[in-house]
Structures are given as structure tokens and as C-alpha cells.
Amino acid sequence: MKLPSLYYLRSSLLTASLAIQLITVAAASGATSSTAALKKYNAMFTFGDSMDETGNICAGSSNKTELNVLTCTHPPYGETYFGRPSCRWCDGRVVVDFIAQALGLPLLPPSKAIGTDFRRGVNMAITGGTAMNFSFYKALGVEDPVWNHGSLDTQIQWFKELLPSICGTEQSCKGYLRKSLFMFGAYGGNDYNVQLLERGLTPEQATNYTPKIVGAIANGVEKLIALGAVHVVVPGIFPTGCLPIFLSLFGDGDLDDTGCLKAYNLLTRYHNSMLRKQVEALQRKHRNSTRLMYADYYGLVYQMVQEPHKFALRLRRAAGREGASTTSTWAPGAVWTGRRWPAATRRRGSAGTASTPRRRLTR
């Protein structure tokens, strides 16, 4: 089984993502203070990919051999919080874990966990999740099953199937979901992974698919609203050109002052700009009934790349968390130095990757 090119995340990045999302929640809720915003939700429902997964990839498989191949089932994953691998693609909690705890909610169980109470929230996110359905990529000649675990539409269908057990009738669900928080994505990262790593497209060529990808995300938001969602956060994607896997494979490209690949970050900014406009358009359309907010993951993470130590210190003070991690580390032993990623990291590629991307095999 070939796995996607995933990267190992440290708690500092996750805590930073939490900060931007909590600000987003406060603004989206119309509350007079962030404290008021944090107390208002009965449940939290999340969708996305490995950035937000809390165990669906494991809960959905009974094949021990397959589970053993997943690097998230082995140390050092889970070492800083759970003390063991928890089928999360990071060393501790993922973004939605931090948010759930800040809201006074339990950690969100994966939707595939049979016999679990989902009334306080559930996580549909799964490794390899894409905005586009797999049939779209299959038509383009992509056969790799890793991108077929659960697209955006598939995750929404999972959620719809769970609703009767969460809130009962359609009418009662409308009221329940009205007081719940929805984290929709970030979607899109894996869609570009398919284009760039599987099909070998350039970032410029991949922009041809951006309108379809963003359109799929916007359609997904509309489906949630139709189900009764009122408070919906739609994050953008991280700066692709700063990720170790891309720096490892394409590090001889044109780099910016922080050592990130310009062309790949241009693609990310193009996607995020288009997505933000779509979210704003949806907010205008549903302004009397729904509160939507775009979360700027790109800007937050890029700021961390530029000034990791100063940013981490500000974040720690703002969060008031004693002992919070302030190490801006994206891969084991690969600490950002301010100009370029260490040569060893560029050679190895992404930590947490179980196999070499196909593009590298064919180069």
C-alpha cells in the first residue's frame, strides 16, 4: 500500500492554527468576546484530511497488515500528548483537538468508530481526503487508492447517515446543528498533491483545476447549510512551497527569501484567494441565516516560517499556556534556520512518509 506524502507536525503549528481559528470563531459568532464565543456550542463537527483526522483511517480498517504500514500507528506519533500513537498524523493533538478542548467539548471521535456517542461532536476527516471525488481523478488516469478514502462529498454523506443518532428527526436536527460549530477542511491540499506528485504537473498547470476544486468546496458548504449548519469555518490551505516534501523533490527551483518555493506558494495563494472570495460570496448570500468565516492558514503558517521564535513567544503569551511547545519544527530533526531547510531534510523529504512519491521514482 502506497501512502501519501505526509509531513510530521509539531504542537507549535497546531497551537498556532488553534489561535487563528479561535479568533475566527469569535468573529463568526458575532459574540462580544472570545470567551462568549467559546461557551456557545453544543457540539463540533469537522471534515477534512490527515491534517484534521482523529482516527478514521484506522477505525475503518480491520487489516492488521495495512494498519502496521501506516506510520501514524508507530512512535514518535502521539509522543507529546497521548503518550502513544493515536492514529493522528502528528506528535500529539491535531488542530480540531485543541479547538474542541477550548470549547469545553470532548476530543472528537472518528465517524467510523462503531458504537460511539457522537452527540457532542464527530470527526469525518480522513487521510487522503480530497475536495474532488475520486471518480474525477480516476478519469485523469490516477489509480492510487490512497486518494479514495473519503472525498468531501463522501464525508458529508457519512455525516448525513449519522444525523439520526445525533439529533433525531430532521426538524430537531435543524435546531441542534444551529448551535454547533462546523470546521470544513482545509480541503484542497491533497487535490494539489494528486496534480503535482501523481500526475507530475507544474504549479502553473495545476491552477487550471483550481476553479473546480474551490467550486467543490463551496458546494460542500452549501450542503452543510442546507442540513442546518449556521456557524461554519472554512480554512485555506498551508503554503505548499514551504513543505519539506516539496522542498525535497523540487528544492532546486526558485526560492523566496525564507527558502520556500515561489511557484508552489503562488499556486497556494491563488487557491486561497479564490476560496476566500467564494466564502465571502456565500456569506453575502446567506447573511440573514448563516455565519461563515475564512481562516487564513497560509498567512499564519508563513508568519511562523518567517519569524518562528518571535511568533511562538507571542502565541504562548496570548494562549496563556505554561509549558506550550515553542519549537517551530516541521520534521524530526529539521528545525527551520531562517533561510533554507537543512540539507538533510531536503534529501530525506517528508518525515512520516511511508514510501517514496511516484514522481521521484520516475525522475
Side-chain angles (χ1 to χ4, degrees):
M1 177 183 177
K2 176 175 168 296
L3 299 177
S5 301
L6 301 167
Y7 50 92
Y8 184 83
L9 296 177
R10 284 289 188 185
S11 296
S12 57
L13 173 57
L14 300 179
T15 307
S17 298
L18 166 67
I20 190 64
Q21 291 191 63
L22 290 182
I23 293 171
T24 295
V25 170
S29 68
T32 57
S33 71
S34 58
T35 301
L38 297 181
K39 301 297 183 183
K40 69 176 292 146
Y41 299 111
N42 291 329
M44 177 176 164
F45 303 106
T46 60
F47 305 74
D49 55 24
S50 57
M51 298 297 301
D52 300 298
E53 175 169 3
T54 58
N56 270 323
I57 194 67
C58 295
S61 176
S62 59
N63 187 325
K64 291 185 178 180
T65 300
E66 181 182 54
L67 291 174
N68 190 56
V69 170
L70 295 169
T71 56
C72 66
T73 63
H74 300 278
Y77 290 94
E79 67 178 359
T80 67
Y81 186 78
F82 300 96
R84 56 175 175 77
S86 63
C87 204
R88 287 164 169 80
W89 294 94
C90 86
D91 68 330
R93 291 162 288 182
V94 294
V95 175
V96 296
D97 291 324
F98 283 107
I99 298 175
Q101 289 179 322
L103 294 173
L105 297 169
L107 297 181
L108 302 184
S111 62
K112 292 182 177 294
I114 300 174
T116 303
D117 185 350
F118 298 130
R119 286 175 294 179
R120 294 283 280 164
V122 61
N123 189 354
M124 271 61 63
I126 192 167
T127 297
T130 54
M132 305 298 294
N133 291 324
F134 185 67
S135 58
F136 174 80
Y137 293 113
K138 190 171 183 180
L140 296 178
V142 177
E143 297 292 340
D144 197 328
V146 77
W147 313 111
N148 196 23
H149 287 143
S151 67
L152 178 157
D153 281 341
T154 300
Q155 292 179 33
I156 292 177
Q157 183 59 37
W158 292 344
F159 180 62
K160 291 170 68 174
E161 292 169 356
L162 289 175
L163 277 179
S165 66
I166 294 173
C167 47
T169 66
E170 180 178 351
Q171 187 60 36
S172 61
C173 281
K174 289 281 187 180
Y176 193 83
L177 299 182
R178 186 176 186 83
K179 296 179 180 179
S180 300
L181 175 66
F182 286 79
M183 299 296 305
F184 199 60
Y187 282 111
N190 283 327
D191 294 270
Y192 294 113
N193 285 342
V194 174
Q195 308 300 330
L196 302 169
L197 301 177
E198 293 281 349
R199 301 193 64 225
L201 300 186
T202 66
E204 292 79 8
Q205 291 170 329
T207 61
N208 293 326
Y209 294 94
T210 300
K212 289 183 178 293
I213 294 169
V214 171
I217 298 171
N219 288 337
V221 174
E222 288 276 28
K223 291 177 181 179
L224 291 185
I225 293 173
L227 289 173
V230 170
H231 303 282
V232 185
V233 179
V234 185
I237 59 177
F238 295 125
T240 304
C242 298
L243 303 184
I245 181 61
F246 286 93
L247 287 164
S248 174
L249 295 177
F250 314 112
D252 54 351
D254 190 16
L255 304 178
D256 63 18
D257 290 341
T258 61
C260 298
L261 290 158
K262 288 183 179 180
Y264 291 85
N265 277 352
L266 281 174
L267 168 62
T268 309
R269 291 203 298 270
Y270 178 64
H271 168 92
N272 287 342
S273 174
M274 187 174 291
L275 177 62
R276 185 167 195 158
K277 290 177 181 177
Q278 282 277 15
V279 172
E280 291 171 349
L282 287 173
Q283 177 61 82
R284 289 192 296 271
K285 177 181 177 181
H286 299 283
R287 61 184 179 277
N288 294 326
S289 60
T290 308
R291 300 182 187 278
L292 302 174
M293 179 62 69
Y294 169 82
D296 184 18
Y297 277 5
Y298 181 100
L300 182 84
V301 174
Y302 200 74
Q303 183 182 357
M304 291 178 66
V305 171
Q306 289 177 313
E307 297 182 284
H309 303 297
K310 291 181 181 179
F311 182 85
L313 180 60
R314 288 198 300 270
L315 180 64
R316 185 173 177 178
R317 288 173 176 170
R321 293 176 178 271
E322 289 300 323
S325 172
T326 58
T327 305
S328 297
T329 307
W330 292 69
V335 181
W336 181 254
T337 60
R339 290 293 298 176
R340 291 178 63 95
W341 294 95
T345 306
R346 296 198 298 274
R347 289 195 302 271
R348 287 196 307 269
S350 170
T353 302
S355 61
T356 307
R358 182 174 303 155
R359 180 176 176 88
R360 191 165 191 174
L361 290 173
T362 58
R363 290 186 82 182

